[in-house]
Amino acid sequence: RREAEGSMMAPLLPLRLRSMRVEDKEEVRALHEAWFPVRYSNSFYDSAVRERMVGSQDPLFTLVAEVGEEMVGVITAQMTTTRGCGDEDILYQPPEDFVEAETKRVMYVLTLGSRSRYRRRGVARTMLAKCIQRAQDDPGCGVVYLHVITHNDGAIQFYRSNNFQFLGEIRDYYRIDGRLFNCYVYAYYLPKAVVKHHHHHSDHDAPKESPSSTSSLTDPSSLHSPHSLSVCLARWLSSL
């Protein structure tokens, strides 16, 4: 945990959401360096504040959350094709449970975080809801999904509380300081894509939750996967 959260149920101050701007670069960098264990490349920030994916320059979904003049949270996510995401073998399975026309694309959450003193006050939840709505509005996109390192109990609890479901585990997905770590795959299926209730995995398959801080929700800058690394992230990593 980064710091104690004695006011975890404190009411949230008026929250303003907007897209990233070029002038946000240094503050976004500072927040990412505080939240995540690996340093991102300068080109990542140059592209992100222009709402582009580094390397490919594909569109990037971004939101900055502000309270007054203070930046308190950030989310970045990419819309990409199902075939190009690298996880098509576990998404939209079994196929008969889904509307085929809504399984062509996916929204992949890259980074999501909030300042420590604003955690458990709805900042990350609000930004994630906007990301889900963006995916809902996109024809052909039926899921918002992400990878999370297996020991980040706070992130796992956060996503499960937001109706994300556990799809599986990928071995040696993250490389951090020379060590390999497994990840879990979590997904939120959009109502428009689901034909019937999704039973791909039971609750017994899901990892156990434990109360913790949602400090670093996902950190794709530290990814290294010999198995199922998303193409979009591979392009990102090539510039690091």
Side-chain angles (χ1 to χ4, degrees):
R1 300 177 69 117
R2 295 184 185 271
E3 73 177 41
E5 297 179 3
S7 60
M8 58 185 297
M9 299 305 293
L12 182 67
L13 296 173
L15 191 66
R16 184 165 69 99
L17 299 176
R18 61 170 176 81
S19 298
M20 280 189 197
R21 298 192 291 247
V22 173
E23 57 266 32
D24 295 327
K25 177 181 172 180
E26 293 309 318
E27 189 166 9
V28 168
R29 183 202 302 270
L31 289 176
H32 277 69
E33 290 183 355
W35 295 335
F36 306 123
V38 175
R39 295 296 177 256
Y40 295 85
S41 67
N42 188 63
S43 59
F44 162 71
Y45 296 107
D46 280 339
S47 296
V49 296
R50 293 171 172 83
E51 297 195 287
R52 290 292 182 266
M53 190 70 184
V54 66
S56 70
Q57 294 302 303
D58 289 339
L60 194 68
F61 171 84
T62 71
L63 277 181
V64 166
E66 294 177 320
V67 173
E69 298 301 314
E70 184 179 18
M71 187 182 297
V72 301
V74 174
I75 186 171
T76 64
Q78 186 189 23
M79 185 76 70
T80 188
T81 63
T82 303
R83 289 185 177 182
C85 75
D87 293 299
E88 67 274 15
D89 56 331
I90 60 174
L91 297 171
Y92 302 128
Q93 297 296 326
E96 60 268 20
D97 280 6
F98 299 95
V99 179
E100 184 179 1
E102 299 292 352
T103 63
K104 307 302 183 185
R105 292 153 66 80
V106 302
M107 177 73 89
Y108 182 77
V109 179
L110 294 165
T111 62
L112 171 59
S114 60
R115 289 188 187 272
S116 55
R117 66 180 177 274
Y118 287 97
R119 291 184 191 134
R120 313 293 287 243
R121 298 178 68 182
V123 176
R125 188 180 301 271
T126 299
M127 292 188 296
L128 183 60
K130 292 293 185 182
C131 182
I132 290 172
Q133 185 59 55
R134 171 65 181 82
Q136 176 70 24
D137 293 341
D138 189 277
C141 180
V143 67
V144 177
Y145 90 105
L146 55 99
H147 302 97
V148 58
I149 199 165
T150 56
H151 62 246
N152 193 339
D153 296 331
I156 293 165
Q157 183 178 12
F158 170 80
Y159 287 113
R160 293 187 70 183
S161 72
N162 282 276
N163 298 314
F164 279 68
Q165 55 185 283
F166 171 75
L167 296 188
E169 182 173 355
I170 302 174
R171 292 184 56 81
D172 299 337
Y173 189 78
Y174 291 87
R175 183 183 293 276
I176 302 175
D177 296 331
R179 296 179 58 197
L180 293 174
F181 297 87
N182 295 358
C183 80
Y184 295 137
V185 181
Y186 272 85
Y188 177 91
Y189 289 100
L190 302 171
K192 65 177 182 173
V194 178
V195 171
K196 58 184 178 181
H197 184 63
H198 194 76
H199 286 295
H200 183 59
H201 291 272
S202 70
D203 290 340
H204 298 292
D205 294 320
K208 294 180 180 179
E209 298 179 25
S210 62
S212 181
S213 166
T214 57
S215 54
S216 301
L217 300 181
T218 60
D219 183 19
S221 70
S222 59
L223 296 180
H224 173 86
S225 172
H227 306 300
S228 183
L229 182 62
S230 299
V231 171
C232 59
L233 291 178
R235 290 198 293 263
W236 179 354
L237 288 169
S238 67
S239 68
L240 294 179

